[in-house]
């Protein structure tokens, strides 16, 4: 697996990356993405709102998929055991067929 990541903007933080590799089963893939995060402290947890998308291409089949990220809540950041909860909606798009899937977390 080869990975290239760069932080494009520092305030607010925006990052982009490019990954080339193979799955454990030997299937090659390429992934790219861009994300910008904004965090809010709500007393009991920190909410991280993520904007951007992830894109995956399977070179053998030519399939390309894109999906958005859900928000992330990090609980017990001041005391106690930290745990993370993913909330919101994730949309997946298969570009070859135009099919979409929406998941509510």
């Amino acid at each position: 697996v080869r990975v290239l990541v760069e932080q494009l903007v520092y305030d607010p933080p925006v990052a982009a990356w490019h990954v080339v590799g193979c799955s454990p089963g030997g299937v090659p893939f390429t992934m790219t993405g861009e994300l910008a995060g904004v965090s809010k402290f709500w007393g009991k947890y920190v909410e991280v709102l993520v904007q951007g998308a992830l894109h995956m291409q399977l070179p053998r089949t030519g399939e390309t998929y894109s999906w958005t990220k859900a928000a992330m809540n990090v609980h017990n950041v001041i005391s106690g055991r930290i745990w993370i909860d993913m909330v919101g909606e994730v949309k997946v798009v298969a570009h070859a067929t135009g099919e979409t899937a929406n998941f509510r977390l």
Side-chain angles (χ1 to χ4, degrees):
V1 175
R2 287 187 253 162
V3 179
L4 173 65
V5 180
E6 184 172 354
Q7 187 165 353
L8 305 171
V9 178
Y10 287 93
D11 191 20
V14 177
W17 66 89
H18 182 81
V19 179
V20 177
C22 286
S23 72
V27 177
F29 65 88
T30 301
M31 292 187 73
T32 58
E34 65 284 336
L35 291 177
V38 176
S39 62
K40 295 180 184 177
F41 181 66
W42 293 101
K44 293 185 176 185
Y45 63 93
V46 174
E47 178 183 45
V48 181
L49 302 171
V50 181
Q51 300 170 341
L54 300 147
H55 315 281
M56 180 176 65
Q57 183 179 31
L58 303 173
R60 285 187 186 165
T61 62
E63 297 172 275
T64 302
Y65 300 94
S66 296
W67 63 95
T68 58
K69 296 281 288 176
M72 178 174 61
N73 294 339
V74 182
H75 299 267
N76 298 331
V77 293
I78 296 175
S79 66
R81 186 179 175 134
I82 293 178
W83 60 281
I84 297 173
D85 187 21
M86 303 301 286
V87 295
E89 189 171 300
V90 176
K91 181 179 180 180
V92 181
V93 177
H95 294 282
T97 62
E99 295 175 295
T100 62
N102 292 315
F103 300 95
R104 182 159 293 279
L105 304 174

